[in-house]
Amino acid sequence: MLEDCGFVDIAIGPPVDTFAGAPGEDKARSYAVFGHAFLATRP
């Protein structure tokens, strides 16, 4: 999707537990929900 928008040099970071301590943490764990950082540039 990022390439379709014209981005290049796309890097995707490792999974991060963004729900630790949140009220919906148990639901996020049951669906294996994680956050990822994205880095990309436009030519």
Side-chain angles (χ1 to χ4, degrees):
M1 179 170 43
L2 290 172
E3 290 172 337
D4 292 341
C5 295
F7 288 97
V8 296
D9 301 325
I10 300 166
I12 302 171
V16 178
D17 182 6
T18 57
F19 288 96
E25 180 179 3
D26 58 331
K27 292 181 180 74
R29 296 241 185 274
S30 65
Y31 289 100
V33 175
F34 294 96
H36 294 268
F38 291 86
L39 178 66
T41 57
R42 295 210 55 162

